[in-house]
Amino acid sequence: MDPIVEKLTTARIGLLLKAPFFGNMATRMQLIDASDWCPTAATNGRNFYYNVDFVKKLSEKKLEFLFAHEILHCVFDHFGRCGSRDRQLANIAQDFAVNQILVDERIGDKITEVKICLDPKFRGLAWEEIYD
């Protein structure tokens, strides 16, 4: 097995054991190397796109956080709720909402290898409120 796929698979198993909801969702996503266009990770609701160099930098616990981050974008239907809002600004607001939930619920370890959108002043707010 490819070492990167093995690392991602190990993180998904960790989620299954520690946070079964997230683990179940993560195991349903197809892993796709998107290093040619994706600097970190992304999802379209079915696939987990990742950058190999980014994955190499992350511990298993940080990969659990990353999987859960992408899963919450799906769970909260962030793709379908954007409407006429600016998609880039909406994604930033969505990231603030999602990351706060994951930190508060202690899902994996917060990613520190890149700056993430996280500010406790947004705790409890829907992404639309953060956007506004």
Side-chain angles (χ1 to χ4, degrees):
M1 182 184 285
D2 175 308
I4 295 299
V5 171
E6 187 172 343
K7 188 174 184 180
L8 291 167
T9 301
T10 301
R12 293 196 301 189
I13 292 168
L15 274 175
L16 271 171
L17 297 172
K18 299 169 200 147
F21 172 79
F22 288 103
N24 187 302
M25 298 294 286
T27 59
R28 295 169 187 265
M29 299 177 97
Q30 183 176 351
L31 303 176
I32 298 179
D33 180 352
S35 299
D36 57 330
W37 63 267
C38 181
T40 55
T43 189
N44 63 359
R46 287 187 216 128
N47 301 314
F48 180 85
Y49 300 102
Y50 62 91
N51 180 292
V52 169
D53 291 331
F54 185 63
V55 170
K56 285 179 183 177
K57 295 176 187 177
L58 300 181
S59 68
E60 180 184 321
K61 297 285 283 171
K62 289 181 180 181
L63 287 171
E64 291 174 11
F65 184 96
L66 185 64
F67 270 113
H69 174 98
E70 298 303 335
I71 288 164
L72 283 182
H73 279 304
C74 302
V75 169
F76 293 136
D77 189 28
H78 286 165
F79 314 110
R81 291 173 43 205
C82 195
S84 61
R85 295 175 182 90
D86 179 280
R87 297 206 55 86
Q88 185 174 10
L89 290 177
N91 185 259
I92 291 168
Q94 293 161 353
D95 284 351
F96 273 110
V98 162
N99 290 337
Q100 190 63 59
I101 291 167
L102 296 175
V103 168
D104 288 350
E105 296 300 319
R106 296 182 176 99
I107 305 296
D109 286 343
K110 178 178 71 167
I111 294 170
T112 56
E113 286 69 12
V114 295
K115 183 174 172 48
I116 66 169
C117 299
L118 182 65
D119 191 325
K121 73 181 178 186
F122 297 127
R123 180 177 282 118
L125 297 180
W127 76 265
E128 292 93 343
E129 296 171 292
I130 297 168
Y131 181 96
D132 290 341

